[in-house]
Amino acid sequence: MLRINELKLPLNHDEAALPAAIVARLGIPESDLLGFTVYKRSYDARKKTAIVLIYAIDVEVKDEAQVLARHAGDQYILPAPDTSYKFVADASEFRDRHERPVVIGMGPCGLFAALILAQMGLNPIVLERGKIVRERTVDTFGFWRKRKLNTESNVQFGEGGAGTFSDGKLYSQIKDPKHYGRKVLTEFVKAGAPEEILYVSKPHIGTFRLVKMVEQMRENIIAMGGEIRFQTRVTDIIVEEESGQRQLRGVVLNDGEVLPTRHLVAAVGHSARDTFQMLYDRGVYIEAKPFSIGFRVEHPQSLIDVCRFGPNAGNKILGAADYKIVHHASNGRSVYSFCMCPGGTVVAASSEEGRVVTNGMSQYSRAERNANSAIVVGITPEDYPGHPLAGIDFQRELESRAFVLGGSNYDAPGQLMGDFVRGVPSTQFGSVIPSFKPAVHLTDLATALPDYAITAMREAFVAFDKQIRGYYKEDAVLTGVETRTSSPIRIKRNDDDLQSLNTRGLFPAGEGAGYAGGILSAGVDGIRVAEAVALSMARG
């Protein structure tokens, strides 16, 4: 098999154009083309009137060695890499010597850590503080409709993790030399995701499809010997001294049960603040890390489509347009788009009483009237000095302030873009109707974030209009606050064995530990940590 990269065709090419382009590019007769598979398809929309599709194609031909030799030195025609997944250990050789590995959390990272451990025959125990995904969905929609928050079953906590109520984006900019991302996508397809996620450049799934996939993956883990306990929260860890080192020996559950283990994957997500506090109190090394804060911004999706695609807006292949923008403000702050959701909704993502948090979500169709994105300002521990968990205190302060600004009833505070830039309160909506539920309470957002963030964002919204004509829209709606862009802490781990810097047997993982951002990278980190657990058990 060989791979052709950067094969370009017009947006609306017919079906016969692709094989014709392949044989022309390789300089072979049609009869020598035995088969081909689209490995990746992206597009170049810089010329809106002449949008081009860009393919990476895996091709089977006669006399492959001869074809490759003829194109030696051509960087776009190469042998296709082996992207299949290889297990690092055979558990039958060492499984019986150890207590079962335990995974805390069943978001994307914990899900893939458990899946890989189960596939290797290590029979993991998964502890999820929230409910099964369908019960969790009922609780979450109940909060949006009736303002009744369940602090253990919401957008943040429960089977599937925070990624279940998101756009379901499945792309990342992480380096992935071992093709773990391909393993993640392949397992998702096996669980019911559309096959197109294997080849489109920016794959996504959407909430309702994710629900069914998570259920299927749960059943797969159980069928392979895994055990999953819902509504089970880890309240403590047991650490003992062994040979001059701190060694994890077990976990304490919310019902008082002590579960012995020497291999614990902590994939708790970025909102498990009580768990972070417990680990810190038990002496696990944690440090503060940068994250970002801001608002959700809603525009008409049709406006974004036209701005990005011009006369090709609405094309089925292109779908609803996304965007990625950044502005370096004069006060030294960077303002950028984050977690952009085409054709989606802004959702209430609170997990603590008396606090308001926003997030974005889309269904697979991306057919809602508004586009939304977080527009956020990068901050560092210098902005919230103190102890390693000071970023959590800062998040809580902003979320509590948003709760009050919204009316102290879980409505979110909002403001029209033009009013925000001018510094005057908003009193009525224009053409853009916000999607946030329960509701958006119009006010002045100037006090919702620190002055440096407000100043930078006011400048950025005007500047963004130069990048996307029409982006500065007087009645675009800002909804606050966005604080859970990433974990405010990092549970440091060794680069080689992925164990905590000072606690053997503890494997910090995923977004909550500061090692991922989004579904795909979290799944990849879950695979890496599962492998590290297996290798540790094999050595022991």
Side-chain angles (χ1 to χ4, degrees), residues 490 492-501 515 528 532:
R490 179 172 286 113
K492 288 277 285 185
R493 67 191 187 194
N494 296 307
D495 293 335
D496 52 355
D497 62 12
L498 306 190
Q499 297 185 53
S500 161
L501 284 186
Y515 290 98
R528 292 186 65 219

Side-chain angles (χ1 to χ4, degrees), residues 38-102:
V38 177
Y39 182 78
K40 192 66 66 179
R41 186 189 72 201
S42 57
Y43 59 79
D44 182 348
R46 286 175 293 180
K47 292 184 178 179
K48 299 181 180 65
T49 57
I51 295 175
V52 173
L53 297 180
I54 306 171
Y55 290 93
I57 307 287
D58 286 346
V59 184
E60 187 179 358
V61 296
K62 293 179 181 177
D63 300 319
E64 180 181 308
Q66 205 174 76
V67 173
L68 285 170
R70 196 163 61 245
H71 292 279
D74 188 330
Q75 62 178 322
Y76 298 119
I77 300 177
L78 299 166
D82 180 5
T83 61
S84 61
Y85 182 71
K86 312 291 192 302
F87 292 101
V88 299
D90 179 1
S92 64
E93 299 175 359
F94 56 83
R95 178 178 55 212
D96 295 338
R97 302 200 306 263
H98 296 279
E99 294 148 344
R100 295 166 72 180
V102 173

Side-chain angles (χ1 to χ4, degrees), residues 221-283:
I221 292 168
I222 294 171
M224 289 183 287
E227 176 185 345
I228 301 174
R229 304 186 190 183
F230 293 101
Q231 296 178 265
T232 302
R233 184 165 49 87
V234 173
T235 59
D236 207 351
I237 59 172
I238 299 170
V239 179
E240 297 178 358
E241 289 287 329
E242 284 187 10
S243 305
Q245 290 185 311
R246 288 163 48 92
Q247 172 65 48
L248 184 124
R249 294 301 305 274
V251 296
V252 181
L253 309 182
N254 54 323
D255 62 0
E257 179 185 354
V258 175
L259 190 62
T261 187
R262 296 175 67 90
H263 298 88
L264 178 67
V265 177
V268 299
H270 61 36
S271 294
R273 293 164 170 173
D274 50 357
T275 305
F276 296 153
Q277 184 69 55
M278 178 271 290
L279 294 173
Y280 182 63
D281 291 343
R282 291 294 170 264

